[in-house]
Amino acid sequence: MPCKWQVSKILREVIRHMRKKRKISPLAALSLVLSSLVILAVLIYQNPAVKTRLDWRIDIARTYLRSVFNPAEAMPAPNTNSQAATSTPLPPPTLTATLVPNQPTPTVTPTVAPTLTPTPIPAAFSLPAPEWEKQGPNNCGPATLAIYLRHYGWVGSEKDIAAVLKPLEEDRNVNPEELVYYVRNHAGWLQAEFRVGGTVTLMKQLIAAGFPVMIEESFYSETSYWTNDDFWAAHYFLLTSYDDAAQLLTGQDSFHGPNQTISYATFDKEWKFFNRVFLLVYRPEQEETLKAILGDDWNPDTNRQHALDTAKAETQANPEDTLAWFNLGSNQVYFGNYSEASTAYDRARELSLQQQRKGQLGLPQRMLRYQFGPFFAYFHSGQLDDLMALTEYTLQYTPNSEEALLWHGWGLYRLGKEQEAISEWRKALEANPNYSDAVYALNFVGVTP
């Protein structure tokens, strides 16, 4: 807030002019008052707390206004004649999600580890729900992780995590890799891993062994953020119990509240949008128990191969399964099979358009706000028209998506537009000052971030 003397000075000045002996016209008086209010508003806006609260709302308003003139549409159809890169091939961009360390680490209070047994599991099991925390705007990742870490005696809040992973409140996405990074580098002695291709059975085994499980699933908003909004978004959720008789999982939801339930069938349906990803936080002494439960899936490559096999089997069982094709593409990207991944993504996009013509969701408008496999695939397979179309589509709804800005920049670079690429990479770094992939891109062309 501006200092009290500044506000008082402004008001005194207004009153002084109004009390002058010479007459002042009503229009001039109104102009003076309005000018004073503008100055006051500018001073208030300079306050960091106020500025933070307003900036993301202003960003949402701008996005909505853009949509009035350019309404939301379906994800673009694949381009069968996509432009191939003509410049010298680049080495694969290094995308590690490595963030700036040297951030304050909240206090961790060790607790006694429970006795863990992977099998057999009971028909129902419930872990104590950690202290719940209401998320701030766009903050389900940090808030859910904060709730998770409290299970192990961690003392801190979503703000501690967001300060490292998303310094700007309007940043709308935190990736599983970033959450793992935080635990490994800022949560004392705790360890973390994430895997894909999970099952309800595996979630139950983990919970029964004493491990809460953090997953990424679908979220449906009641607020329209642009014209023709499909209301779909991503959301993190912490699983803490299950009940076979009721066919329910219970978890901690940073938006809706503690102890929210979801049926096994609905859970898997909404989880499938994210390749059934799950994140595990554990004490070092629990690692062997965790390995026993995961088996071959402890190895990231084997786990990804299992997920690829599952997605492939789902496409064979139902050739019109849009999400299975999309997940197949994402798992192919992991192995560097970019041509195969592009083919799978093409099929997913084609099916999505068919579904949306029937009034179904298909691939949601915000899908590429959270998942970037198509950017990898189309860049590395030289399908630049598809890359540019999808990054521009993403930026239409999420103009501050650092990942879309990054890959839009790489596309421009491959098209010989280096200065435009540099501009996009700088925007990506503005969107997330800790975004090392944007730093890498700028360094690649010899530019200081």
Side-chain angles (χ1 to χ4, degrees):
M1 288 289 264
C3 297
K4 289 182 180 179
W5 70 266
Q6 291 175 308
V7 176
S8 299
K9 183 179 179 182
I10 293 169
L11 295 176
R12 284 198 306 270
E13 191 67 16
V14 173
I15 293 170
R16 186 177 69 82
H17 280 285
M18 296 294 289
R19 288 179 174 175
K20 278 186 175 180
K21 290 182 180 180
R22 57 185 178 82
K23 292 184 178 180
I24 183 170
S25 69
L27 184 61
L30 178 61
S31 176
L32 184 60
V33 170
L34 291 176
S35 299
S36 301
L37 290 174
V38 169
I39 294 171
L40 181 61
V42 169
L43 289 171
I44 292 173
Y45 180 70
Q46 298 310 309
N47 180 271
V50 174
K51 189 174 187 299
T52 297
R53 289 178 177 274
L54 286 178
D55 279 351
W56 74 272
R57 290 181 172 88
I58 292 171
D59 183 61
I60 289 173
R62 282 198 300 257
T63 301
Y64 191 91
L65 287 174
R66 278 195 300 270
S67 76
V68 172
F69 301 99
N70 188 15
E73 297 177 353
M75 190 179 295
N79 189 331
T80 55
N81 297 309
S82 186
Q83 179 178 350
T86 56
S87 60
T88 303
L90 297 176
T94 303
L95 303 172
T96 59
T98 301
L99 305 175
V100 179
N102 305 321
Q103 298 285 344
T105 303
T107 305
V108 176
T109 305
T111 56
V112 178
T115 302
L116 305 175
T117 54
T119 54
I121 64 171
F125 193 88
S126 181
L127 292 168
E131 180 188 354
W132 182 78
E133 179 169 358
K134 175 69 173 178
Q135 71 174 75
N138 307 311
N139 232 33
C140 69
T144 306
L145 183 60
I147 296 169
Y148 196 168
L149 293 176
R150 289 180 190 137
H151 174 77
Y152 295 103
W154 181 82
V155 178
S157 74
E158 65 169 338
K159 292 181 179 179
D160 299 303
I161 300 172
V164 178
L165 302 185
K166 52 184 299 291
L168 302 182
E169 193 173 72
E170 56 268 28
D171 186 346
R172 292 172 172 81
N173 177 57
V174 173
N175 304 323
E177 295 92 338
E178 295 173 305
L179 297 168
V180 167
Y181 166 85
Y182 184 87
V183 175
R184 291 177 179 176
N185 293 275
H186 297 274
W189 32 264
L190 294 172
Q191 297 296 317
E193 297 283 347
F194 83 91
R195 297 290 185 268
V196 296
T199 64
V200 171
T201 298
L202 178 58
M203 298 303 100
K204 290 160 49 181
Q205 290 173 331
L206 289 164
I207 293 168
F211 297 96
V213 190
M214 185 170 171
I215 60 94
E216 191 169 15
E217 59 158 359
S218 299
F219 175 87
Y220 297 92
S221 173
E222 296 179 354
T223 303
S224 175
Y225 289 93
W226 50 69
T227 55
N228 301 332
D229 194 342
D230 64 14
F231 301 101
W232 181 95
H235 194 53
Y236 284 103
F237 189 71
L238 182 67
L239 301 172
T240 53
S241 72
Y242 68 88
D243 185 334
D244 285 343
Q247 291 285 288
L248 290 176
L249 287 158
T250 300
Q252 311 311 308
D253 188 311
S254 63
F255 183 85
H256 291 109
N259 299 319
Q260 299 292 309
T261 59
I262 185 171
S263 72
Y264 290 174
T266 300
F267 171 75
D268 188 66
K269 177 183 175 183
E270 303 299 348
W271 194 22
K272 189 175 179 179
F273 279 90
F274 297 94
N275 205 16
R276 301 182 177 99
V277 65
F278 59 99
L279 186 148
L280 294 162
V281 176
Y282 59 96
R283 302 182 183 89
E285 64 269 23
Q286 294 176 305
E287 185 165 292
E288 292 307 313
T289 300
L290 195 55
K291 285 181 179 179
I293 297 171
L294 293 181
D296 290 344
D297 282 319
W298 177 256
N299 181 294
D301 291 344
T302 305
N303 168 254
R304 189 65 69 153
Q305 183 62 52
H306 289 163
L308 190 153
D309 293 341
T310 296
K312 188 176 294 184
E314 289 177 337
T315 64
Q316 292 168 349
N318 179 8
E320 296 187 356
D321 188 335
T322 303
L323 294 180
W325 283 106
F326 191 93
N327 291 337
L328 178 61
S330 298
N331 293 319
Q332 293 283 19
V333 164
Y334 177 88
F335 291 108
N337 301 328
Y338 300 116
S339 178
E340 294 88 341
S342 296
T343 299
Y345 286 133
D346 284 351
R347 183 59 180 152
R349 291 162 64 191
E350 291 167 353
L351 290 168
S352 177
L353 287 171
Q354 294 174 18
Q355 289 178 312
Q356 290 171 349
R357 291 189 192 105
K358 300 174 183 177
Q360 300 169 2
L361 180 61
L363 294 176
Q365 294 164 353
R366 295 170 178 80
M367 189 72 158
L368 302 182
R369 175 187 288 183
Y370 313 108
Q371 300 200 60
F372 321 112
F375 302 159
F376 281 85
Y378 292 125
F379 174 86
H380 287 291
S381 61
Q383 295 175 236
L384 297 188
D385 286 344
D386 282 298
L387 173 64
M388 301 306 284
L390 291 184
T391 51
E392 289 165 8
Y393 172 80
T394 304
L395 293 169
Q396 178 183 351
Y397 307 118
T398 315
N400 64 333
S401 168
E402 64 261 38
E403 293 86 1
L405 288 165
L406 175 83
W407 284 103
H408 193 243
W410 280 116
L412 289 167
Y413 184 83
R414 292 293 291 269
L415 292 170
K417 301 177 181 180
E418 183 172 321
Q419 291 306 311
E420 293 179 43
I422 291 170
S423 175
E424 294 297 271
W425 295 332
R426 289 198 184 282
K427 290 178 186 176
L429 202 55
E430 289 173 5
N432 185 345
N434 292 343
Y435 192 32
S436 62
D437 296 339
V439 173
Y440 170 87
L442 291 167
N443 287 337
F444 183 86
V445 295
V447 174
T448 301

